[in-house]
Amino acid sequence: MAQQEWLYGLHAMQAVIENEPERLIEIWVLKGRDDERLINIVNQARRFGVAVQFCNRKVLDDKVKGEQHQGIVARAKPAKTLDESDLDRLLDSTPVPLLLVLDGVTDPHNIGACLRTADAAGAHALIVPKDKSGGLTGTARKVACGAAEVVPFIQVTNLSRTLKQLQDKGVWVIGTAGEAEQLIYDCKLSGPMALVMGAEGKGMRRLTRETCDELVKLPMAGSVSSLNVSVATGVCLYEIVRQRGL
């Protein structure tokens, strides 16, 4: 396990300070930048005893290998990895869970965008397989705009087994697939639910698809055959939100 992580971006930094300030080790800030949000983050970090250094843009760019850092980068202790036992505890305390499952999604920008949408839609967790999936990188955290610190990101060893365990607990597992006959708008989506989204192009893996209780699709009226996975996730989650009357 990595001994440290690199965090960057204003939203991600603010979320860490508000939720897990003990993780921060050191912060680097772009010299000469004095906007209110960044100054507020620096002042909060100093109150928690975090060392702050001011430096030029190249130093920041080098630390994050050219990613968009918005003038602030931090070295932090790694976040706790959540697994099946954390999922069990979450289900025991959540009467009507809404879970987002990503099968084989590796792009950190998509993972971050899905986290952000999951938070906005009130999802209780995002579940991914440990293998053949992206993790919570600095890029994913930045794109998530703070959602990575509040939406549990649960990594499971065997995704199809986890889906079966969800079913045993009364969670309806609905998968999205282009070959499905039923539109998502024609399904009842108001109970305990896990929404499974596959990787772009490949879709869900065979075992994942076979484990789902129901397969649905989005209408595609144009010339493209599929949507970006984070866009499709937003459409599907908000149909669930609409039906739940939240």
Side-chain angles (χ1 to χ4, degrees), residues 203-218:
M204 293 179 291
R205 290 173 294 175
R206 181 181 59 81
L207 275 177
T208 306
R209 183 186 290 104
E210 291 175 356
T211 306
C212 292
D213 292 303
E214 194 169 18
L215 294 178
V216 299
K217 65 181 179 181
L218 290 171

Side-chain angles (χ1 to χ4, degrees), residues 110-129:
N110 280 332
I111 289 173
C114 287
L115 270 166
R116 185 175 182 179
T117 303
D119 178 50
H124 297 100
L126 192 157
I127 301 169
V128 300

